[in-house]
Amino acid sequence: MPIQSKVAEVIRNHQQDLAEAWQQELQSSGQDGRIGSQELETQTAELLRLISEASLDGLTPASAAWAPVRQLLEEVSTARAVQGFTSEETATFVFALKKPLFESVRRALAHTPLELAEATWEANALVDQLGIHTVTAYQRSREAVIRRQQEELLELSTPVVKLWDGVLALPMIGTLDSSRTQVVMESLLGRIVETGAEVAIIDITGVPTVDTLVAQHLLKTVTAIRLMGADCIISGIRPQIAQTIVHLGVELRGVTTKATLADALNVALDRRGLKVVAKDA
């Protein structure tokens, strides 16, 4: 019998004992805080079953026979990423198997020191490879979660507000980069189509700084709005921003700019032939 199959034999013959010892290790490390004991028991038992089946073809986690094992580890990693576990906590789910597995191998091969040493090395390498795959899957899942959250934040931070019939406003807060510019244009152009607005106000009062790149993004947005047949007004031009734009030599020729959103709204209403007057008047 091949040396490496000794570890597989131990796993197959001691699945229940390994599962119980593994769960105890996880509980002692605090892994059960956000996961129910029943769910943890199911995950460990199922993973051991899949490892036992895959090990019949050898201890090579990268092979096709180990695909179900890798898939389960990826599912566990994704769930933990969503639940807010750290990469260390996620990796501990797999690495906590080492001690129970080593002890089972030691008891099974106690009378054959050479086989025990080689089997221990095989078991160590096996758990390490599974742990690395788990961490890699966790990182991919976590990055996907972060990207989704960033996209949601971008959408929340670019609300298009209807100020008046035919007048839309987009108050911007934070840094304006390429990805956010794309979201801004899509949101604003979509609302222009929906409402048939004739004037769109982009308020940059909450934009901390304006550099050449930000100015270019603004000009692209203005151009896109004009192509839709609407006028565009940029408000929130503070003295510091005005000086920066002049210093950078950015041309805003043909673009209406105002210091405040109120001023921009007055211009928008005037272009539509409207005027706000006091009730008493």
Side-chain angles (χ1 to χ4, degrees):
M1 184 178 292
I3 294 295
Q4 68 175 0
S5 66
K6 291 291 185 180
V7 176
E9 183 180 348
V10 168
I11 295 174
R12 287 195 298 272
N13 294 337
H14 301 86
Q15 279 192 54
Q16 184 61 37
D17 294 338
L18 279 172
E20 293 176 357
W22 188 6
Q23 291 163 26
Q24 291 176 2
E25 285 293 317
L26 290 171
Q27 291 170 359
S28 64
S29 65
Q31 285 292 294
D32 61 334
R34 281 159 287 181
I35 300 179
S37 58
Q38 184 61 46
E39 182 181 359
L40 198 62
E41 181 179 345
T42 301
Q43 290 177 345
T44 54
E46 179 65 10
L47 185 56
L48 279 175
R49 184 186 68 80
L50 294 176
I51 291 174
S52 177
E53 294 177 356
S55 63
L56 292 172
D57 283 352
L59 300 184
T60 311
S63 65
W66 285 75
V69 177
R70 296 194 300 271
Q71 181 178 352
L72 180 57
L73 289 175
E74 290 167 6
E75 292 173 357
V76 170
S77 299
T78 300
R80 279 162 169 68
V82 173
Q83 291 169 324
F85 282 79
T86 65
S87 58
E88 181 180 354
E89 290 171 334
T90 304
T92 300
F93 171 73
V94 175
F95 290 130
L97 176 60
K98 273 192 177 184
K99 184 178 178 180
L101 183 56
F102 287 176
E103 291 179 350
S104 296
V105 170
R106 178 178 55 79
R107 287 193 297 267
L109 303 175
H111 301 294
T112 53
L114 181 59
E115 289 188 348
L116 173 59
E118 293 178 346
T120 301
W121 175 259
E122 294 288 347
N124 184 67
L126 170 64
V127 177
D128 283 348
Q129 291 179 67
L130 295 178
I132 291 172
H133 182 79
T134 301
V135 173
T136 302
Y138 168 86
Q139 291 174 338
R140 288 198 300 266
S141 300
R142 189 61 183 162
E143 289 170 359
V145 170
I146 293 173
R147 283 196 300 272
R148 185 171 65 252
Q149 291 174 340
Q150 289 176 335
E151 291 171 357
E152 292 173 353
L153 286 174
L154 279 176
E155 293 176 358
L156 290 173
S157 62
T158 54
V160 181
V161 182
K162 183 178 179 180
L163 296 181
W164 211 276
D165 288 339
V167 180
L168 299 178
L170 177 65
M172 301 193 63
I173 300 174
T175 304
L176 184 63
D177 54 20
S178 299
S179 59
R180 193 177 183 195
T181 300
Q182 186 64 30
V183 174
V184 167
M185 283 197 292
E186 290 177 358
S187 301
L188 194 50
L189 296 180
R191 288 286 287 165
I192 290 174
V193 173
E194 292 174 8
T195 62
E198 299 176 4
V199 182
I201 301 172
I202 299 177
D203 184 70
I204 62 172
T205 303
V207 177
T209 58
V210 173
D211 54 19
T212 304
L213 187 59
V214 170
Q216 290 175 351
H217 289 325
L218 286 173
L219 289 175
K220 289 179 181 178
T221 305
V222 171
T223 301
I225 292 171
R226 286 175 172 173
L227 289 174
M228 296 296 296
D231 290 332
C232 183
I233 303 171
I234 298 178
S235 65
I237 304 295
R238 305 185 301 278
Q240 299 89 336
I241 290 181
Q243 293 176 10
T244 301
I245 291 176
V246 172
H247 178 71
L248 293 173
V250 176
E251 288 289 342
L252 293 179
R253 188 174 303 169
V255 179
T256 302
T257 60
K258 290 296 177 180
T260 66
L261 180 59
D263 293 337
L265 179 59
N266 284 331
V267 174
L269 293 176
D270 182 65
R271 290 183 180 180
R272 299 213 62 221
L274 301 172
K275 184 178 182 180
V276 178
V277 297
K279 183 177 180 181
D280 294 340

